[in-house]
Amino acid sequence: MTTRKGEAEIGRIIEVRLEGLTLRVADVRRSIEFYGNKLGFTVEIDKAPQFAMIRVGGPTGGTIGLLVHDSSDPLGSNSTTPRQRAGIHVELTTDHLDALYEQLKGRGVEFFKPPHEEPWERSMRVHDPDGYTIEFAEGRRGHRGVT
């Protein structure tokens, strides 16, 4: 027999943190070049050609895992289209969007959307080598006060 919990007990959620995400990529070394050398993030684990882990935001920041495509998996990432990968956004923030844009442009990063205003934020976007969208927004997400 199950007992019904009180409303106060149901409302409590144990804190959960987002540590990172993993992207399936065609070439881990090529992705390391992009995320590490071009974007300037820290390569924390380099087990290329199978896997790498990129640290974003210093030692307390989150991670982006780079995992090589698994061609033996019929439902794996090789079945995703370029359009589907472009629809996946890795959303990052900075307090200095225009300065970051100039710095990354100087490293050869080609943005398909330079810094621009959206109704909800100021942002810019680039595709990584596999076509995933990397979006940089100014300020903390959801804290701009613009709707």
Side-chain angles (χ1 to χ4, degrees), residues 5 14 18 35 58 70 80-81 103 107 110 112 130:
K5 296 181 179 184
I14 295 173
L18 176 64
Y35 287 97
D70 181 358
T80 60
T81 67
Q103 182 182 47
R107 291 181 179 176
E110 296 179 22
F112 71 89
D130 289 275

Side-chain angles (χ1 to χ4, degrees), residues 51-73:
F51 177 76
M53 185 167 41
I54 307 297
R55 176 80 51 194
V56 180
T60 61
T63 62
I64 299 173
L66 304 170
L67 184 62
V68 73
H69 290 292
D70 181 358
S71 59
S72 67
D73 181 357

Side-chain angles (χ1 to χ4, degrees), residues 4-100:
R4 188 168 184 172
K5 296 181 179 184
E7 286 184 28
E9 193 174 334
I10 291 172
R12 284 188 300 188
I13 301 289
I14 295 173
E15 182 179 324
V16 176
R17 293 172 297 281
L18 176 64
E19 290 291 324
L21 60 95
T22 298
L23 302 173
R24 290 285 193 154
V25 299
D27 184 330
V28 171
R29 284 188 177 89
R30 178 183 72 177
S31 293
I32 289 171
E33 168 65 25
F34 176 78
Y35 287 97
N37 294 335
K38 287 203 173 198
L39 296 186
F41 301 145
T42 302
V43 180
E44 195 158 285
I45 297 173
D46 182 348
K47 297 292 182 183
Q50 285 81 29
F51 177 76
M53 185 167 41
I54 307 297
R55 176 80 51 194
V56 180
T60 61
T63 62
I64 299 173
L66 304 170
L67 184 62
V68 73
H69 290 292
D70 181 358
S71 59
S72 67
D73 181 357
L75 300 175
S77 56
N78 278 338
S79 65
T80 60
T81 67
R83 185 176 179 149
Q84 288 169 325
R85 284 191 301 273
I88 295 172
H89 285 219
V90 177
E91 299 171 352
L92 307 171
T93 62
T94 179
D95 290 331
H96 309 284
L97 190 68
D98 293 303
L100 180 62

Side-chain angles (χ1 to χ4, degrees), residues 116-130:
H116 64 283
E117 292 291 332
E118 297 282 357
W120 52 89
E121 68 188 1
R122 182 168 168 71
S123 66
M124 61 188 184
R125 292 185 216 124
V126 62
H127 285 133
D128 84 348
D130 289 275

